Amino acid sequence: MTAIAPGTLPKSSPRGGAARARMLRSLLPALSLSLVLMAIAWLNPRAISYFGFSLMLNLAIPIALATIAQMFVIAGNELDLSIGTFVGFVGCVTATWLKDTPLIGIAALLGSIGVYALIGALIHLRNLPSIVVTLGMSFVWQGLAILILPKPGGKAPDWLLAILAFKPPYIPFPILAALLIAAVVHFGLMRTSYGVILRGSGGNAAALKRAGWSLLRTKIVLFALTGLFGVLSGMALIGITTSADANIGNGYTLLSIAGVILGGGEFVGGRVSPIGAVIGALTLALAASPLLTFMHIPPDWQVAANGAILIIVLAARVLISRRER
């Protein structure tokens, strides 16, 4: 047995401290969601029920899908400022063409995903800043939405209404849908070999290129996935609201970015978390209307509340990152 010199104590391993910091960092999204839930339970205990969660998380599904769409772009060190208006465009197509002329509606939605793929190719080939390109595309999607539906109206297809009105036993549908979205995207992006390549395009593009992988293809795939989940978000939103408006998704751009960052994502380095992004979306959905309503705070403070939550989480993440280093 090795004797310990008097007056000395064994020091904690630096690796152990870094591991604890990383674990705490990964638990931050769940911790923020837990704090919001505890606040809601304290203010209104009756809200913590099957009906309460169904009502509070009514819009959580489209927000989660839009957040996942933004996450794919951020995974490639890019940013999409058009996802909100794109969701509105999809909503207008869903409430008009997809209901009245399904073939034209399906073609328009598939074509919009193809446009997103072309945007990714253009950004890579011409080395253009994604912020500028997607900001320009936001006006394009907004204009197309107004052309399709100049004033609020339309109606969601009956099959879409039936899907979003599904009420499973025991677990509210929004929670079940969030779990399914998180599980599918986590497996595809974090557990498959091609998911590693997609994340590698943002983490170490030079090494990926030396390994023989096409950065152009990965960029196209990431933007196409963004378009796909943007389409799903717009359809889910119309399935919940039952009608459309050209401006219905404008707020989703900032919500999606905040959800990704709140869920542990980084703007650089390809560091994203599908599970964390969905948790971040649920946190924003709960912290917006339900929590503010129970606190008797006017709805005008919704954006401020989301910003405050984001700042607090980011400040905690900075402290943890310093500990990790």
Side-chain angles (χ1 to χ4, degrees):
M1 232 178 131
T2 305
I4 300 176
T8 63
L9 292 173
K11 297 181 179 180
S12 60
S13 170
R15 290 185 179 180
R20 287 191 296 271
R22 283 193 297 270
M23 180 179 294
L24 183 59
R25 177 193 178 94
S26 64
L27 291 177
L28 265 181
L31 179 61
S32 61
L33 178 60
S34 300
L35 291 175
V36 171
L37 286 174
M38 286 189 292
I40 292 175
W42 181 63
L43 293 169
N44 190 350
R46 291 177 296 178
I48 308 300
S49 62
Y50 184 98
F51 178 75
F53 278 117
S54 299
L55 189 61
M56 291 188 299
L57 296 175
N58 191 32
L59 292 175
I61 299 174
I63 294 176
L65 290 169
T67 302
I68 291 295
Q70 186 72 251
M71 184 202 68
F72 282 113
V73 174
I74 292 179
N77 289 346
E78 308 290 354
L79 198 63
D80 184 11
L81 297 183
S82 66
I83 189 64
T85 54
F86 179 69
V87 169
F89 162 78
V90 171
C92 292
V93 172
T94 302
T96 54
W97 294 348
L98 192 61
K99 177 176 174 55
D100 301 329
T101 53
L103 292 179
I104 296 178
I106 293 172
L109 295 179
L110 292 177
S112 65
I113 296 175
V115 171
Y116 251 94
L118 292 176
I119 293 171
L122 176 65
I123 289 173
H124 178 76
L125 292 175
R126 306 303 299 176
N127 196 24
L128 299 173
S130 60
I131 294 179
V132 176
V133 176
T134 56
L135 179 62
M137 284 302 302
S138 68
F139 296 105
V140 174
W141 297 124
Q142 183 84 70
L144 291 175
I146 294 174
L147 286 175
I148 296 172
L149 197 65
K151 58 182 180 180
K155 186 178 179 182
D158 294 335
W159 58 267
L160 186 58
L161 293 173
I163 293 175
L164 272 300
F166 176 62
K167 297 186 183 299
Y170 307 116
I171 302 177
F173 179 70
I175 296 178
L176 193 63
L179 292 174
L180 180 62
I181 294 168
V184 171
V185 180
H186 177 82
F187 177 79
L189 191 62
M190 311 299 287
R191 297 297 182 183
T192 63
S193 57
Y194 196 68
V196 174
I197 294 167
L198 293 177
R199 288 184 288 116
S201 64
N204 196 335
L208 197 68
K209 187 175 181 180
R210 287 195 299 268
W213 293 97
S214 171
L215 292 177
L216 173 61
R217 183 177 299 175
T218 58
K219 195 72 69 176
I220 290 174
V221 172
L222 285 173
F223 272 81
L225 288 170
T226 298
L228 172 61
F229 279 88
V231 166
L232 295 176
S233 176
M235 293 176 64
L237 182 58
I238 300 306
I240 293 170
T241 60
T242 70
S243 61
D245 180 6
N247 300 309
I248 195 171
N250 287 357
Y252 277 43
T253 297
L254 295 180
L255 278 177
S256 63
I257 296 173
V260 175
I261 302 305
L262 190 62
E266 302 282 354
F267 283 121
V268 294
R271 297 183 65 174
V272 293
S273 170
I275 296 176
V278 172
I279 293 176
L282 295 179
T283 303
L284 292 175
L286 288 172
S289 178
L291 184 59
L292 293 181
T293 301
F294 297 149
M295 295 176 68
H296 304 289
I297 297 177
D300 296 338
W301 289 88
Q302 175 177 340
V303 178
N306 290 336
I309 293 173
L310 190 60
I311 291 172
I312 292 172
V313 172
L314 288 178
R317 190 188 301 177
V318 169
L319 295 176
I320 295 171
S321 297
R322 290 179 179 176
R323 171 64 177 172
E324 185 177 347
R325 286 194 295 268

